[in-house]
Amino acid sequence: MSEKRSDAFTKGDSRTPHRALLYATGLSERELNRPIIAVVNSYSELIPGHKHLREIADRVKAGIRYRGGVPLEFNVIGICDGLAMNHMGMKYSLPSRELIADSVESMLKAQPVDGAVFIPNCDKIVPGMLMGAARANIPSIFVSGGPMLSGRFKGEKIGLSETFEAVGQKAAGKITSEELTELEKCACPTCGSCAGMFTANSMNCLTEAIGLSLPGNGTIPAVMAKRYALAEITGETVMDLVENNIKMLDILTKKAFENAMAVDLALGASSNTVLHLAAIANEAKVDFSLDIIDNLGKKTPQLCKLAPASRTYIEELDEAGGISCVMAELKKINAIDDTVLTVSGKLSERIKNKKADGTIIKPIENPYSKEGGLAILRGNIAPNGAVVKQGAVLPSMMKFTGTARPFDSEEESCEAILNNKIKSGDIVVIRYEGPKGGPGMREMLTPTAALAGQGLDSSVALITDGRFSGATKGASIGHVAPEAAAGGLIAYVLDGDKIEIDIPARSIKLLVDDKEIEKRKSEMKIRKNTELTGYLKRYTAFVQSADKGAVLLYEE
């Protein structure tokens, strides 16, 4: 390699001060002549999915050194959504995505390294790193920490979502305090991202599907030796990307995004992926709208039914062949384009001779559903769109008309649910939880899990301008846009109104005539949050709506 990006701070007389500082880190003169690779690590003792990432980073560095590179590590923040759930902390979860993206961009623009390896694992950390990497646009590759193994309780496999549902079961008198305590100690038996097809695992699988990580990235369990071997090979592979000058935006094409979304739909992945793919596409300057997602959803079959929609977990998807096998099945109906570039060559090489196992991954001829796991709904209450994980909705709830029970916060809804104030036939409406109104678009796993725990997921729906954890199941419709704080119709729903949900028809309607709606708009005031300070105050000022990926947009 004749010229390197890192020459900008290692070559020439004018860079004497820079080299002096690099020598202070322990680098040798010989190392300054080699490619310098950033290792971007989200290690944290506060996140069970990230507790082991120091060891993953060590193996990545070994791979880089083996191929003649010089690894230099820095860290980014991360928030565990499970620990932030159902309190003030969740207001910071989605906003942290932008902080991560900004910090990655800042570091990689300020320090002109030759390439980067990213080590995320959970929720907003994965898309935040992807967004920042797209801005930096240097040779880059990702390797996650991998999923945790499922737990065991009374002879059945369980994961984190069952602990949330157990709270509802305890409130309904279905289990004892002793059983609740026993279950919580069994649910998360290892480090790693939570075991189901929740947001973290969804995003790690989609990072693989979009071509920015090696096969196995999304599914090899955190505690397996294969995960550490994958990390070392990832370190080696970034050196190939540097040598060939293959950058992020060479891989992040529109076809690659469509491939990722097709895999998302086939997996029945988290509804949060809609937000994150839209935000990443925005950074990559790729057109990727809710209409594109919905059109893909109508022609992409669901091939997997993983937790929370079943008791099948990511470890079993890995045993069945993982994402490469899912993509091989989708290729049979041309639902993906296998000519796209990945970090390890053409996609066609990854999926050659791969096929579904027939059980965990259904064959394309016999899918769980002819449509994908996500659907985009529209109607007067959500003219700009709303998202539902239809692959986790009971058949009886695909068409449902119910009585609105509106609440102005997650806490108010939880109080009603846990005190048995929600009845069969109700539709819980949680508003002022959108990107601006929350702020931060909190996840509504606690109320949805409480409903499921009480056995109401077969007769109660939930609608919100907030969002859901990937662990949510049932007729849970989120991302309602425009949100209440922006004057959306969801702000004017009254107790007792009727709402009609028709998922097959992609429709959601407030059954109130236009004259009455206009009357309400003239009489009811939009709630304003006047007590915000610090980052959330700035975030609220610039965040865009959910259908735009909840990205930050500054005035030009």
Side-chain angles (χ1 to χ4, degrees):
M1 181 181 298
S2 54
E3 293 186 8
K4 312 187 305 298
R5 287 177 178 82
S6 58
D7 289 349
F9 66 172
T10 62
K11 298 295 183 185
D13 291 347
S14 66
R15 296 299 182 251
T16 295
H18 305 69
R19 290 191 296 273
L21 291 169
L22 290 169
Y23 288 141
T25 70
L27 294 182
S28 67
E29 183 176 359
R30 182 174 57 180
E31 286 174 313
L32 293 189
N33 290 313
R34 295 174 176 172
I36 295 176
I37 309 299
V39 177
V40 188
N41 195 354
S42 54
Y43 163 78
S44 170
E45 291 184 337
L46 268 172
I47 310 177
H50 293 228
K51 185 81 166 57
H52 61 306
L53 296 190
R54 277 181 174 168
E55 289 77 17
I56 295 290
D58 286 343
R59 295 300 294 271
V60 167
K61 292 176 185 178
I64 293 169
R65 292 190 182 101
Y66 178 74
R67 291 289 304 276
V70 179
L72 295 177
E73 182 179 351
F74 68 87
N75 289 81
V76 299
I77 66 164
I79 289 174
C80 175
D81 277 20
L83 294 176
M85 198 73 68
N86 192 226
H87 59 80
M88 176 66 182
M90 183 51 74
K91 292 180 183 290
Y92 284 89
S93 174
L94 184 60
S96 75
R97 185 188 72 181
E98 314 310 310
L99 290 175
I100 294 165
D102 288 350
S103 64
V104 167
E105 174 195 5
S106 298
M107 287 294 291
L108 295 183
K109 291 284 191 179
Q111 320 288 357
V113 296
D114 299 296
V117 179
F118 293 85
I119 309 174
N121 210 28
C122 292
D123 292 289
K124 311 311 160 297
I125 297 97
V126 185
M129 284 189 176
L130 285 162
M131 292 164 68
R135 295 177 196 172
N137 193 29
I138 64 174
S140 301
I141 188 171
F142 284 66
V143 58
S144 75
M148 70 170 61
L149 298 177
S150 58
R152 298 292 185 276
F153 181 68
K154 294 185 176 180
E156 290 191 3
K157 292 181 180 180
I158 62 168
L160 184 68
S161 60
E162 281 73 22
T163 66
F164 283 89
E165 292 177 17
V167 174
Q169 292 169 346
K170 171 64 169 53
K174 295 182 178 181
I175 62 173
T176 65
S177 295
E178 291 74 19
E179 287 174 312
L180 188 63
T181 299
E182 183 185 354
L183 182 143
E184 72 185 36
K185 292 179 178 178
C186 299
C188 301
T190 73
C191 64
S193 47
C194 298
M197 187 51 75
F198 311 148
T199 307
N201 289 326
S202 296
M203 287 307 303
N204 287 326
C205 288
L206 297 194
T207 302
E208 181 179 337
I210 211 167
L212 286 170
S213 62
L214 296 174
N217 176 71
T219 57
I220 297 173
V223 295
M224 297 298 189
K226 288 193 300 181
R227 172 62 55 180
Y228 293 90
L230 180 71
E232 188 160 334
I233 296 169
T234 298
E236 294 183 35
T237 304
V238 75
M239 300 304 294
D240 293 328
L241 298 173
V242 170
E243 179 67 30
N244 295 303
N245 196 28
I246 297 172
K247 296 173 288 190
M248 280 285 294
L249 298 188
D250 295 326
I251 295 172
L252 285 180
T253 63
K254 185 172 183 179
K255 288 180 179 180
F257 276 96
E258 291 177 350
N259 282 352
M261 196 66 230
V263 171
D264 184 305
L265 294 160
L267 292 173
S270 167
S271 57
N272 280 321
T273 56
V274 173
L275 276 177
H276 298 324
L277 283 178
I280 298 160
N282 177 68
E283 302 295 350
K285 303 296 186 289
V286 169
D287 177 33
F288 197 71
S289 65
L290 291 185
D291 288 334
I292 292 172
I293 292 169
D294 198 43
N295 288 334
L296 287 169
K298 290 174 181 176
K299 62 184 182 181
T300 306
Q302 184 171 350
L303 304 180
C304 302
K305 219 169 192 47
L306 303 160
S310 73
R311 290 293 178 90
T312 302
Y313 292 87
I314 303 297
E315 64 212 59
E316 293 160 274
L317 177 59
D318 187 64
E319 291 167 2
I323 302 307
S324 294
C325 288
V326 173
M327 298 187 85
E329 288 299 309
L330 293 174
K331 175 58 184 172
K332 291 179 180 178
I333 57 169
N334 291 319
I336 63 162
D337 186 330
D338 68 348
T339 67
V340 299
L341 183 65
T342 77
V343 290
S344 57
K346 295 290 185 180
L347 177 61
S348 56
E349 292 301 311
R350 291 190 177 192
I351 66 175
K352 184 169 58 178
N353 301 322
K354 303 288 186 181
K355 62 180 182 179
D357 71 314
T359 304
I360 306 301
I361 306 169
K362 292 285 190 179
I364 203 75
E365 300 82 11
N366 183 34
Y368 281 105
S369 170
K370 292 181 179 179
E371 293 188 351
L374 298 177
I376 307 300
L377 310 185
R378 296 184 189 271
N380 62 353
I381 199 171
N384 294 345
V387 182
V388 62
K389 189 173 181 176
Q390 66 172 342
V393 178
L394 293 171
S396 61
M397 294 296 289
M398 294 294 282
K399 293 183 179 182
F400 181 73
T401 300
T403 303
R405 300 293 310 281
F407 302 93
D408 287 349
S409 70
E410 178 189 9
E411 287 83 359
E412 292 175 22
S413 72
C414 287
E415 189 275 335
I417 294 167
L418 294 174
N419 285 285
N420 302 309
K421 295 178 181 178
I422 302 300
K423 306 300 180 185
S424 178
D426 286 344
I427 296 181
V428 177
V429 179
I430 309 177
R431 58 199 177 192
Y432 294 105
E433 291 287 4
K436 285 185 180 291
M441 208 177 179
R442 287 194 289 180
E443 289 185 347
M444 302 292 125
L445 177 57
T446 298
T448 58
L451 290 171
Q454 293 180 354
L456 292 173
D457 56 328
S458 61
S459 59
V460 172
L462 191 149
I463 300 170
T464 182
D465 54 8
R467 59 194 177 89
F468 297 110
S469 164
T472 288
K473 64 182 180 181
S476 303
I477 299 164
H479 305 198
V480 168
E483 61 177 293
L489 185 55
I490 191 172
Y492 302 102
V493 176
L494 295 181
D495 195 86
D497 286 347
K498 295 295 182 182
I499 297 176
E500 178 187 79
I501 300 166
D502 189 338
I503 295 174
R506 303 295 198 265
S507 173
I508 180 170
K509 297 177 183 177
L510 175 65
L511 301 180
V512 174
D513 65 60
D514 293 342
K515 188 175 181 180
E516 171 62 19
I517 289 172
E518 290 306 312
K519 180 174 179 290
R520 293 180 188 181
K521 287 183 176 181
S522 68
E523 296 175 350
M524 297 171 65
K525 291 185 177 180
I526 298 297
R527 195 187 73 179
K528 302 292 183 183
N529 194 333
T530 59
E531 299 179 357
L532 294 175
T533 60
Y535 176 51
L536 289 185
K537 186 173 184 178
R538 285 185 281 122
Y539 180 85
T540 300
F542 297 108
V543 70
Q544 302 301 295
S545 63
D547 59 300
K548 303 296 185 184
V551 297
L552 300 186
L553 182 63
Y554 301 94
E555 293 183 5
E556 296 182 1

